[in-house]
Amino acid sequence: MLSGAREKSDWVRNIRNDPRVEVRIADRKWSALARLVGSGEEDELARRLLLEKYGSRYGGDLSSWGEKALPVAIDLAGMPG
């Protein structure tokens, strides 16, 4: 995920306060830990995937968002519940 407002986003502040999250897709859920992604390969991958997925479908220019947004990773900690 990428936060356009970076550290100013409420959900990013919540993750910094308590990184434990729950991921729910349809009727499956996982316990997970969220973390801010630092610079490096994972950061570059998140930005590239964003632009590849949404760039052609979005009517505007996503390059600034793709360069400046804060990547946040969700690491699954448990099995589906």
Side-chain angles (χ1 to χ4, degrees), residues 44-60:
E44 292 171 16
L45 176 62
R47 294 172 193 289
R48 182 175 52 81
L49 291 174
L50 165 88
L51 295 174
E52 285 177 5
K53 181 172 184 174
Y54 295 107
S56 63
R57 294 191 255 173
Y58 183 72

Side-chain angles (χ1 to χ4, degrees), residues 21-37:
V21 297
E22 182 177 275
V23 176
R24 196 178 301 188
I25 302 172
D27 62 342
R28 297 177 74 184
K29 62 182 173 179
W30 296 264
S31 296
L33 291 174
R35 61 184 169 78
L36 305 183
V37 175

Side-chain angles (χ1 to χ4, degrees), residues 5-74:
R6 300 194 53 85
E7 292 88 353
K8 294 178 183 176
S9 294
D10 289 340
W11 64 273
V12 172
R13 288 186 210 165
N14 289 341
I15 287 169
R16 284 188 156 201
N17 186 46
D18 184 357
R20 294 173 296 170
V21 297
E22 182 177 275
V23 176
R24 196 178 301 188
I25 302 172
D27 62 342
R28 297 177 74 184
K29 62 182 173 179
W30 296 264
S31 296
L33 291 174
R35 61 184 169 78
L36 305 183
V37 175
S39 62
E41 187 175 318
E42 189 176 26
D43 174 85
E44 292 171 16
L45 176 62
R47 294 172 193 289
R48 182 175 52 81
L49 291 174
L50 165 88
L51 295 174
E52 285 177 5
K53 181 172 184 174
Y54 295 107
S56 63
R57 294 191 255 173
Y58 183 72
D61 182 10
L62 291 177
S63 59
S64 178
W65 191 50
E67 293 170 4
K68 296 178 183 176
L70 174 68
V72 178
I74 305 295

